[in-house]
Amino acid sequence: DTAVSQTPKYLVTQMGNDKSIKCEQNLGHDTMYWYKQDSKKFLKIMFSYNNKELIINETVPNRFSPKSPDKAHLNLHINSLELGDSAVYFCASSDLGDTQYFGPGTRLTVL
Amino acid sequence: GNSVTQMEGPVTLSEEAFLTINCTYTATGYPSLFWYVQYPGEGLQLLLKATKADDKGSNKGFEATYRKETTSFHLEKGSVQVSDSAVYFCALTAQGAQKLVFGQGTRLTINP
């Protein structure tokens, strides 16, 4: 009965590769988010989708492309991975304007 | 712009001690305020929230009161346990906005 789930939990890859992280929520929320947590634990929003439409894009490099096939899923694809992309990526969901609920995170390590 | 400032960590306390983690914010209008907790190796969990001035959020013995006059939302607990060891994040959503703006997090360690 997991509310917000992410796969994979850990992702280790080489520089220059392309990878995807998947997120699913079963809470019936209409808004989903991606946040990045850096090595100092600082959290910052990257993207938000409401009913499959992009509503927030926080000056993230265009190597990062979110895709929302339906309102229960929000995937994050990253092209040409760089060392600085190493972080923990969190997915979250909410009803618009309401409390956000987070997934368990995906720890990405770029070698 | 909107921002959240938390007290610098790490904070180390003995079991049953009183806890305060300070949080102040800058925002226009009337933001909603949150405390999230991240236990070791886990994701973020909502601990408590308050959506208007003078509201008190509470959960698991933790409390925080939304003080508009001092733009603060300090987290308190009367008697901490070892299991409270975690990183605590204060956050806000600005009025009419969707994104959470987080403080830098405060690492709390409780010793038996």
Side-chain angles (χ1 to χ4, degrees):
Chain A
D1 60 344
T2 304
V4 183
S5 59
Q6 295 178 228
T7 54
K9 190 169 172 63
Y10 300 97
L11 185 52
V12 181
T13 188
Q14 300 288 331
M15 264 197 319
N17 284 350
D18 303 338
K19 290 293 178 186
S20 292
I21 306 171
K22 296 186 176 182
C23 178
E24 177 180 2
Q25 55 95 3
N26 62 7
L27 296 166
H29 291 156
D30 54 15
T31 308
M32 296 184 72
Y33 312 80
W34 280 108
Y35 288 83
K36 180 180 181 181
Q37 184 176 45
D38 64 23
S39 59
K40 295 186 178 177
K41 296 285 191 184
F42 186 69
L43 278 150
K44 191 163 192 268
I45 191 159
M46 301 173 70
F47 301 104
S48 177
Y49 272 72
N50 176 254
N51 280 321
K52 303 195 298 174
E53 286 195 30
L54 182 67
I55 58 172
I56 295 175
N57 183 342
E58 285 282 307
T59 59
V60 178
N62 58 15
R63 297 182 295 105
F64 290 78
S65 53
K67 284 188 173 48
S68 182
D70 55 61
K71 74 174 195 177
H73 296 84
L74 180 61
N75 303 323
L76 183 65
H77 188 74
I78 316 170
N79 289 328
S80 303
L81 277 155
E82 300 176 357
L83 292 176
D85 298 332
S86 295
V88 181
Y89 292 84
F90 286 101
C91 178
S93 74
S94 73
D95 285 325
L96 194 65
D98 206 343
T99 301
Q100 294 180 31
Y101 295 89
F102 284 76
T106 295
R107 182 175 294 278
L108 172 64
T109 303
V110 182
L111 303 175
Chain B
N2 302 316
S3 65
V4 176
T5 303
Q6 293 179 229
M7 64 187 286
E8 292 264 349
V11 174
T12 303
L13 296 171
S14 297
E15 207 165 20
E16 299 183 4
F18 183 85
L19 168 71
T20 300
I21 301 178
N22 290 338
C23 171
T24 56
Y25 67 90
T26 302
T28 53
Y30 297 89
S32 294
L33 302 174
F34 304 85
W35 278 99
Y36 281 86
V37 58
Q38 186 175 24
Y39 297 103
E42 296 186 15
L44 289 158
Q45 299 178 25
L46 177 67
L47 183 59
L48 53 85
K49 68 176 185 179
T51 56
K52 59 183 189 295
D54 300 324
D55 265 3
K56 179 187 280 188
S58 61
N59 186 24
K60 298 182 182 179
F62 291 89
E63 291 183 342
T65 301
Y66 188 143
R67 301 279 189 210
K68 186 141 181 77
E69 63 276 13
T70 54
T71 61
S72 65
F73 193 53
H74 304 321
L75 183 68
E76 296 183 336
K77 186 174 185 183
S79 175
V80 292
Q81 306 300 312
V82 172
S83 58
D84 294 327
S85 298
V87 181
Y88 291 80
F89 293 91
C90 187
L92 66 81
T93 52
Q95 191 174 6
Q98 310 315 319
K99 66 178 182 181
L100 275 164
V101 175
F102 285 91
Q104 70 269 40
T106 302
R107 184 179 296 279
L108 173 67
T109 301
I110 307 300
N111 294 321

